């Protein structure tokens, strides 16, 4: 069971956030109360301080962007990246305060990138670690033919991945995680190996793999990770020397329809099923499992790797109500420079968000100075940690991503934009503000006329820059942020109800003993059948953070997680 509700409702102030834009079709504050400021990033001045911009009545810029807020498209609800072992290892090489500052820059909801949805692997991916005791190509069950999954374990993930995720949850307690396997256990594949090759397409193995995924989700959730989505396969069209497994469209359809979907239903797995992260741009391949009601009934999100871009517009047109995520930006070859941030990073973000994507994921958030994968391909990352010099570098890709995720709020809608300046994309936020993120990728500054109704800002977008312009109503009174509470449990063993001040937990059993503890291990509340029948938790009086409700109900263990965030 998942609950995500606002415990208060407050009227939001009117504001508008724009990167190079002209706004029409929306209410505009009186010119006397309308103010403007800007944020610009160049290679020599990354994430410069916001500066006030005067408002005039006339346009002098040679380029324009026209924003039509009356024409709205898809909802935008996710920005993030991927947690990989090598990122966690790199952060362990620097002082803990430095590592914490990196996570704050990625996840803090005031000054950071405000990432809210991120990815993790199930088993090995191409950025796992090889040591004398850790095998780079691992699964969660290495016991051959263990179709009952008696040996499944996430002990390996407790070393790097889960602590890495929890270090992010310090700043974003309600962080959502989705997962995907790069490969099933090798004994389920025709080559008996993790890289390359096909899955053994027999009912016995397909049933076993569905059980593997079901158990994996529950084990990860039991550690307090808000795992809410599972993509059934990373890049099913890849045959490489890193973990992967090829699946045909009909095999994907039947696996979801006949095995994973029914297994998650029967096991009461509280996690959505997502499509493979498709590295193929042929709409017909998507349509095999989207047009089949048996498989489509289970698929809540369709995933596109950067190689799937040719299909997203067609999928969005055919299935406009489905959530679509770009799940891995172009990985590059360790360029980590400004040119790479402009193209492909900005260009792909603009393309996907313009063509129907509801969210966009970077690839590695953090890597060491080599950027090397477990099989030798050095790739890009948002942040580089030099494990020798003990330094941290925020690469241009980081700031490109931040120009979107910092300003575009979850629940924003893509809106129509036009004009002579084309490297831009616009959004309208839930609080009424409007955001346009733009990139001047030319070698000369561009003079822009940015208009909001009859009010105009005449600005200069520097050569090779990301530019953000903010219009806001200076008479609006800021309000305190709303408190959010996200809740999920590993099994349906308690009933949870919410009120204005908190939650009530009622065990579904006659003999029980439960405690609520924080990440520090301290008990915040307790309940036992010989004292009371309800645990009442006043979340409005608790510090933001992650809390666990653990105990025994009629002889069975129960674990639940509560994420409280202002």
């Amino acid at each position: 069971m998942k609950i995500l509700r606002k415990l208060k409702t407050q009227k939001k102030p009117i504001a508008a956030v724009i990167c190079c834009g002209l706004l029409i079709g929306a209410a505009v504050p009186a010119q006397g109360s309308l103010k403007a400021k800007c944020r610009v990033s160049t290679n020599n001045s990354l994430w410069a301080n916001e500066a006030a911009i005067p408002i005039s009545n006339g346009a002098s810029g040679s380029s324009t962007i026209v924003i039509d807020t009356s024409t709205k498209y898809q909802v935008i609800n996710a920005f993030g990246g991927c947690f990989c072992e090598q990122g966690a290892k790199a952060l362990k090489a620097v002082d803990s305060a430095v590592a914490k500052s990196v996570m704050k820059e990625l996840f803090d909801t005031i000054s950071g990138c405000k990432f809210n949805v991120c990815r993790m692997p199930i088993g090995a991916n191409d950025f796992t670690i090889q040591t004398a005791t850790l095998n780079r190509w691992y699964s969660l069950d290495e016991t051959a033919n263990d179709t009952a999954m008696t040996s499944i374990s996430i002990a390996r993930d407790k070393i790097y991945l889960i602590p890495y995720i929890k270090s992010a949850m310090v700043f974003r307690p309600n962080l959502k995680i989705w997962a995907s396997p790069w490969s099933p256990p090798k004994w389920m594949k025709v080559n008996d190996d993790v890289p390359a090759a096909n899955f053994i397409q027999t009912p016995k193995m397909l049933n076993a793999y569905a059980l593997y995924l079901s158990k994996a989700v529950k084990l990860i959730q039991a550690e307090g990770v808000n795992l809410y989505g599972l993509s059934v396969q990373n890049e099913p069209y890849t045959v490489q020397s890193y973990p992967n497994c090829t699946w045909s469209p009909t095999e994907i359809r039947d696996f979801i329809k006949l095995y994973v979907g029914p297994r998650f239903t029967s096991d009461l797995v509280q996690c959505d099923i997502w499509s493979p992260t498709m590295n193929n741009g042929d709409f017909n391949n998507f349509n095999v499992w989207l047009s089949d009601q048996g498989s489509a009934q289970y698929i809540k999100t369709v995933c596109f790797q950067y190689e799937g871009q040719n299909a997203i517009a067609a999928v969005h047109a055919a299935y406009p109500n489905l959530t679509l995520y770009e799940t891995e930006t172009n990985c590059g070859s360790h360029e980590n420079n400004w040119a790479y941030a402009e193209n492909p990073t900005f260009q792909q973000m603009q393309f996907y968000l313009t063509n129907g994507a509801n969210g966009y994921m970077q690839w590695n958030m953090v890597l060491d100075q080599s950027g090397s994968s477990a099989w030798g391909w050095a790739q890009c990352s948002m942040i580089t940690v030099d494990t020798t010099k003990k330094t941290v570098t925020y690469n241009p890709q980081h700031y490109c991503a931040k120009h979107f995720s910092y300003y575009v709020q979850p629940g924003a809608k893509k809106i129509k934009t036009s004009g002579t300046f084309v490297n831009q994309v616009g959004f309208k936020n839930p609080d009424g503000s409007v955001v346009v993120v733009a990139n001047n990728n030319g070698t000369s500054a561009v003079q822009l006329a940015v208009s909001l109704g009859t009010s105009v800002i005449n600005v200069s977008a520097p050569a090779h820059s990301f530019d953000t312009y903010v219009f806001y109503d200076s008479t609006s009174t800021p309000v305190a942020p709303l408190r959010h509470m996200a809740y999920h449990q590993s099994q349906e063993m308690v009933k949870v109800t919410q009120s204005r001040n908190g939650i009530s937990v009622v065990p579904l059993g006659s003999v029980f003993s439960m405690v609520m503890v924080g990440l520090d291990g301290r008990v915040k509340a307790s309940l036992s059948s010989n004292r009371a029948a309800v645990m009442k938790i006043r979340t409005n009086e608790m510090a933001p953070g992650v809390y666990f409700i653990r105990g025994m109900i009629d002889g069975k263990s129960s674990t639940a997680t509560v994420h409280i965030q202002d």
Side-chain angles (χ1 to χ4, degrees):
M1 182 172 81
K2 293 181 182 178
I3 300 175
L4 180 57
R5 296 179 184 166
K6 293 179 180 178
L7 299 183
K8 298 180 184 177
T9 57
Q10 292 174 305
K11 188 175 181 180
K12 295 282 189 176
I14 297 173
V17 181
I18 302 185
C19 294
C20 314
L22 166 69
L23 180 68
I24 61 175
V28 178
Q31 184 161 330
S33 65
L34 186 66
K35 304 296 181 182
K37 56 186 178 180
C38 70
R39 171 94 67 183
V40 177
S41 290
T42 66
N43 201 25
N44 296 321
S45 180
L46 296 165
W47 203 247
N49 291 334
E50 290 181 341
I53 302 177
I55 295 175
S56 68
N57 293 317
S60 61
S62 59
S63 296
T64 62
I65 298 172
V66 178
I67 305 168
D68 178 4
T69 60
S70 66
T71 304
K72 301 180 181 68
Y73 302 103
Q74 79 277 12
V75 173
I76 309 298
N77 53 30
F79 290 103
C82 188
F83 292 99
C84 298
E85 283 189 344
Q86 289 198 25
K89 182 182 178 183
L91 288 171
K92 284 181 177 290
V94 296
D95 183 81
S96 61
V98 174
K100 187 173 182 179
S101 71
V102 170
M103 302 311 288
K104 180 177 182 180
E105 173 60 18
L106 287 167
F107 294 98
D108 186 71
T109 59
I110 302 300
S111 62
C113 290
K114 306 181 184 180
F115 280 177
N116 65 327
V117 176
C118 285
R119 182 186 192 186
M120 68 175 290
I122 289 184
N125 70 359
D126 38 335
F127 281 86
T128 49
I129 294 169
Q130 177 78 44
T131 69
T133 57
L134 296 176
N135 179 16
R136 62 175 179 165
W137 304 151
Y138 75 98
S139 73
L140 306 187
D141 193 335
E142 299 286 73
T143 303
N145 298 314
D146 180 23
T147 56
M149 297 298 144
T150 57
S151 298
I152 192 169
S153 169
I154 60 168
R156 165 77 174 254
D157 294 341
K158 294 179 183 180
I159 302 173
Y160 287 105
L161 277 180
I162 291 176
Y164 190 13
I165 293 169
K166 288 189 175 180
S167 70
M169 291 167 60
V170 171
F171 301 100
R172 174 68 88 166
N174 62 346
L175 177 66
K176 290 184 176 182
I177 299 295
W178 65 277
S180 63
W182 267 245
S183 173
K186 64 181 183 179
W187 48 270
M188 294 184 179
K189 298 173 67 177
V190 297
N191 65 342
D192 193 31
D193 202 359
V194 172
N198 297 52
F199 191 88
I200 299 173
Q201 295 287 331
T202 64
K204 178 181 179 181
M205 285 300 180
L206 291 163
N207 269 314
Y209 194 31
L211 179 61
Y212 172 89
L213 296 174
S214 170
K215 286 182 173 289
V217 167
K218 289 187 174 184
L219 287 170
I220 294 166
Q221 289 175 338
E223 292 301 311
V225 174
N226 185 17
L227 179 56
Y228 84 113
L230 174 79
S231 167
V232 295
Q233 175 63 49
N234 177 74
E235 299 181 350
Y237 292 87
T238 293
V239 180
Q240 284 284 2
S241 55
Y242 60 84
N244 57 91
C245 185
T246 54
W247 296 73
S248 72
T250 55
E251 289 169 346
I252 293 167
R253 177 198 65 198
D254 292 345
F255 182 51
I256 293 173
K257 175 169 65 174
L258 303 177
Y259 299 96
V260 179
R263 168 59 70 178
F264 274 39
T265 300
S266 64
D267 288 355
L268 301 177
V269 179
Q270 301 302 309
C271 181
D272 290 340
I273 295 170
W274 294 11
S275 82
T277 64
M278 294 290 284
N279 58 324
N280 179 284
D282 186 344
F283 168 75
N284 295 319
N285 292 328
F286 291 77
N287 206 39
V288 168
W289 30 267
L290 286 177
S291 63
D292 185 290
Q293 183 56 35
S295 53
Q297 66 177 316
Y298 296 112
I299 299 171
K300 305 304 181 185
T301 298
V302 181
C303 306
F304 301 78
Q305 300 292 85
Y306 59 91
E307 299 158 305
Q309 66 180 33
N310 290 339
I312 188 167
V315 172
H316 182 55
Y319 303 97
N321 296 322
L322 267 176
T323 297
L324 312 180
Y325 282 169
E326 197 284 346
T327 50
E328 182 183 313
T329 201
N330 192 296
C331 53
S333 295
H334 203 228
E335 296 88 347
N336 287 336
N337 55 24
W338 190 266
Y340 181 87
E342 289 188 325
N343 188 14
T345 305
F346 181 88
Q347 292 296 319
Q348 286 191 347
M349 293 188 76
Q350 179 189 14
F351 177 88
Y352 269 99
L353 294 168
T354 299
N355 284 279
N358 301 98
Y360 195 98
M361 306 290 144
Q362 304 300 314
W363 177 211
N364 278 293
M365 294 179 286
V366 181
L367 287 176
D368 68 15
Q369 67 273 20
S370 74
S372 185
S373 67
W375 60 293
W377 181 5
Q379 299 181 13
C380 292
S381 60
M382 295 176 63
I383 300 166
T384 298
V385 175
D386 191 313
T387 57
T388 301
K389 297 178 181 179
K390 311 297 183 184
T391 58
V392 173
T393 300
Y394 294 91
N395 298 318
Q397 179 188 348
H398 172 84
Y399 294 100
C400 175
K402 189 173 182 179
H403 268 271
F404 285 89
S405 61
Y406 182 85
Y407 288 103
V408 182
Q409 301 166 3
K413 286 191 175 182
K414 167 72 175 64
I415 55 177
K416 182 179 180 180
T417 55
S418 59
T420 61
F421 193 87
V422 297
N423 276 0
Q424 45 77 21
V425 58
F427 313 89
K428 184 172 183 179
N429 280 324
D431 66 2
S433 62
V434 175
V435 178
V436 178
V437 184
N439 167 224
N440 175 15
N441 59 8
T443 57
S444 301
V446 174
Q447 305 309 309
L448 291 164
V450 183
S451 302
L452 178 64
T454 59
S455 302
V456 181
I457 302 173
N458 294 295
V459 295
S460 178
H464 295 295
S465 63
F466 301 116
D467 310 270
T468 301
Y469 299 90
V470 180
F471 285 88
Y472 63 98
D473 182 358
S474 62
T475 63
S476 297
T477 302
V479 296
L482 302 179
R483 169 151 289 187
H484 291 75
M485 195 273 296
Y487 167 82
H488 66 81
Q489 60 179 314
S490 57
Q491 301 181 60
E492 289 285 349
M493 298 185 70
V494 297
K495 179 181 179 181
V496 178
T497 57
Q498 285 187 276
S499 66
R500 182 178 179 85
N501 296 322
I503 61 174
S504 297
V505 181
V506 179
L508 302 180
S510 57
V511 180
F512 49 83
S513 177
M514 307 186 74
V515 294
M516 182 178 186
V517 298
L519 286 174
D520 57 5
R522 295 181 179 178
V523 175
K524 310 297 181 182
S526 62
L527 178 69
S528 65
S529 50
N530 61 357
R531 289 192 293 123
V534 180
M535 179 190 291
K536 293 186 177 181
I537 304 165
R538 296 180 64 84
T539 53
N540 64 329
E541 297 178 357
M542 298 174 66
V546 180
Y547 300 87
F548 306 100
I549 301 173
R550 296 171 175 157
M552 300 291 293
I553 301 175
D554 290 342
K556 297 181 180 179
S557 62
S558 176
T559 302
T561 309
V562 176
H563 304 259
I564 301 172
Q565 183 184 24
D566 283 335

